[in-house]
Amino acid sequence: MNRSKSFSLNSAVKVGVLAAFAYILMFIQFPIPIAPPFMKVDLADVPALIGGFAMGPWYGVLIQLIKNILNLTKTTTGGVGELSNFIVGAVFVYVSSSIYKNRKTKKNALFALSLGVVAMTAIATISNAFVVFPTYARVMGIDLNAFVAMTAKTNGLVKSYFSLMILSILPFNIVKGLIASLVTDLIYKRVSHIIKYK
């Protein structure tokens, strides 16, 4: 019984620490010209990926959830951005971690992260096109074409809502996913022994 309680406390502490790191990393952002100005790249998925790889997929998803709940305290999107970030991030972490847990090798880690990026990008493009952007437009009281106009200023390929999704949102998520994957691959083995259960 005491051992079970210790295990639960141990996992809760690790999830809490990783979620806190993820939340802090959300403040360190940089834009990329292909995307709308309110979409920026950060490394906040890295702690969740590390947690998912070391502890299991659902722990990674939980870290994503806590990170976005914390971010609600400073939201400027009425919670729409946080919901989108959670859905996309949860897919990325769950897919990657689920594949990695079956064979924990360097090669499989890269394969898992690659498939995670593909899954995340697909879900991000579809959810942004049909749910997130329309909902955000209603919350902010603007037309969907406003997103096209603001993105076209830095991405001349964007001419319509469809091209916004295919030539801006899709590549943005690929870039974001690849950067998070690269950083995770570089540091995971250095920190995993601290997080893994004995």
Side-chain angles (χ1 to χ4, degrees), residues 117-130:
V117 171
V118 171
M120 176 190 75
T121 301
I123 292 297
T125 305
I126 294 169
S127 64
N128 274 295
F130 297 106

Side-chain angles (χ1 to χ4, degrees), residues 48-63 93-94 97-98 101 104 188 195 197:
L49 285 167
I50 291 172
F53 274 29
M55 302 167 65
W58 287 111
Y59 285 99
V61 171
L62 182 58
I63 291 165
V93 170
Y94 186 82
S97 302
S98 294
K101 76 175 183 178
K104 297 185 176 183
Y188 176 68
I195 305 167
Y197 295 117

Side-chain angles (χ1 to χ4, degrees), residues 144-156:
L144 285 174
N145 288 325
F147 298 124
V148 176
M150 68 176 70
T151 307
K153 292 178 181 179
T154 56
N155 185 346

Side-chain angles (χ1 to χ4, degrees), residues 7-21 47 51 54-55 59 63 192-198:
F7 179 87
S8 297
L9 178 60
N10 184 37
S11 62
V13 169
K14 290 174 181 177
V15 166
V17 170
L18 288 168
F21 274 121
M55 302 167 65
Y59 285 99
I63 291 165
S192 62
H193 65 283
I194 302 172
I195 305 167
K196 286 179 180 177
Y197 295 117
K198 304 297 184 184

Side-chain angles (χ1 to χ4, degrees), residues 18 22 25 42-52 64 67 92-93 179-185 187:
L18 288 168
L25 287 172
D42 60 51
L43 296 176
D45 288 330
V46 173
L49 285 167
I50 291 172
Q64 291 281 25
K67 173 193 77 176
F92 186 17
V93 170
I179 292 173
S181 297
L182 176 62
V183 174
T184 300
D185 181 60
I187 69 173

Side-chain angles (χ1 to χ4, degrees), residues 6 9 15-16 19 71 73-74 80 108 116 118-119 122 125 130 133 137-138 150-151 174-175 179 184 186 188 191 193:
S6 175
L9 178 60
V15 166
N71 202 56
T73 60
K74 65 177 189 67
V80 177
N108 196 49
V118 171
T125 305
F130 297 106
F133 272 62
R138 285 195 294 271
M150 68 176 70
T151 307
I174 291 175
V175 170
I179 292 173
T184 300
L186 289 173
Y188 176 68
V191 301
H193 65 283

Side-chain angles (χ1 to χ4, degrees), residues 3-163:
R3 188 174 180 180
S4 177
K5 288 182 178 179
S6 175
F7 179 87
S8 297
L9 178 60
N10 184 37
S11 62
V13 169
K14 290 174 181 177
V15 166
V17 170
L18 288 168
F21 274 121
Y23 174 64
I24 292 168
L25 287 172
M26 293 183 84
F27 291 91
I28 305 171
Q29 307 173 327
F30 58 92
I32 56 174
I34 61 171
F38 56 84
M39 293 181 69
K40 295 179 173 64
V41 171
D42 60 51
L43 296 176
D45 288 330
V46 173
L49 285 167
I50 291 172
F53 274 29
M55 302 167 65
W58 287 111
Y59 285 99
V61 171
L62 182 58
I63 291 165
Q64 291 281 25
L65 178 62
I66 296 170
K67 173 193 77 176
N68 281 287
I69 290 174
L70 291 172
N71 202 56
L72 282 172
T73 60
K74 65 177 189 67
T75 185
T76 58
T77 66
V80 177
E82 286 71 27
L83 177 61
S84 176
N85 188 283
F86 169 68
I87 293 171
V88 172
V91 169
F92 186 17
V93 170
Y94 186 82
V95 171
S96 299
S97 302
S98 294
I99 295 170
Y100 178 72
K101 76 175 183 178
N102 294 322
R103 192 167 73 253
K104 297 185 176 183
T105 64
K106 174 82 169 180
K107 183 177 180 180
N108 196 49
L110 294 173
F111 177 68
L113 288 166
S114 297
L115 285 189
V117 171
V118 171
M120 176 190 75
T121 301
I123 292 297
T125 305
I126 294 169
S127 64
N128 274 295
F130 297 106
V131 180
V132 176
F133 272 62
T135 303
Y136 186 48
R138 285 195 294 271
V139 170
M140 301 303 292
I142 60 176
D143 187 81
L144 285 174
N145 288 325
F147 298 124
V148 176
M150 68 176 70
T151 307
K153 292 178 181 179
T154 56
N155 185 346
L157 297 174
V158 174
K159 308 291 186 183
S160 63
Y161 189 67
F162 177 78
S163 63

